[in-house]
Amino acid sequence: MLVAVQSAGSQHNRGPATGRLMQIGEAADRVGLSIRTIRHYEDAGLIVPSARSEGGFRLYTESDLDRLAVVKRMKPLGFTLDEMRELLGVLDALPTAGEDDRPRLLDRLGMFHTVATARVHALREQLDTAERFAETLRHQLDQYELQP
């Protein structure tokens, strides 16, 4: 028997669990996160399992995995848990947003896009610097390995 999960204060607006359900270990493997990280994201209010088994095990759907994937992609860009929560709220609200809310939500989504793009650019610059440094070390190795 499955029990739908409702979490007070959750930004995660969904109907009852549909589709194939998987336990946390399979969800972790599929998304490439640790079980501990998924539990942390649940504690932080970023993800809520779609259901629980009769024994209380967390059960996740493909929609839950998509949500975890968004969080996973935000992490290396330095977004905070609050920012992740806000973006997930925007993404949850957009499909059913009315004409009054849609422009505000799109503006917030655009802001996240701008910040993500700037952070990607900064990471590319860091990577370029790191690659040049590694190449400098390679030249040093080559130089001294050739000396008698």
Side-chain angles (χ1 to χ4, degrees), residues 57-129:
F57 292 104
R58 296 164 174 87
L59 299 172
Y60 297 91
T61 63
E62 289 296 329
S63 176
D64 297 329
L65 298 188
D66 292 343
R67 192 174 180 85
L68 283 166
V70 169
V71 172
K72 181 182 177 185
R73 290 188 302 255
M74 292 180 80
K75 181 86 171 118
L77 295 177
F79 286 99
T80 66
L81 292 175
D82 286 339
E83 290 168 328
M84 292 175 187
R85 195 175 301 105
E86 181 183 355
L87 177 60
L88 290 168
V90 167
L91 295 174
D92 287 346
L94 263 173
T96 58
E99 289 182 32
D100 294 340
D101 291 332
R102 192 175 211 55
R104 177 185 58 80
L105 292 169
L106 289 173
D107 183 56
R108 293 305 295 161
L109 184 59
M111 183 277 310
F112 277 104
H113 176 260
T114 299
V115 170
T117 300
R119 291 180 183 179
V120 165
H121 180 72
L123 284 171
R124 283 192 177 121
E125 287 179 351
Q126 287 179 336
L127 179 59
D128 184 53
T129 299

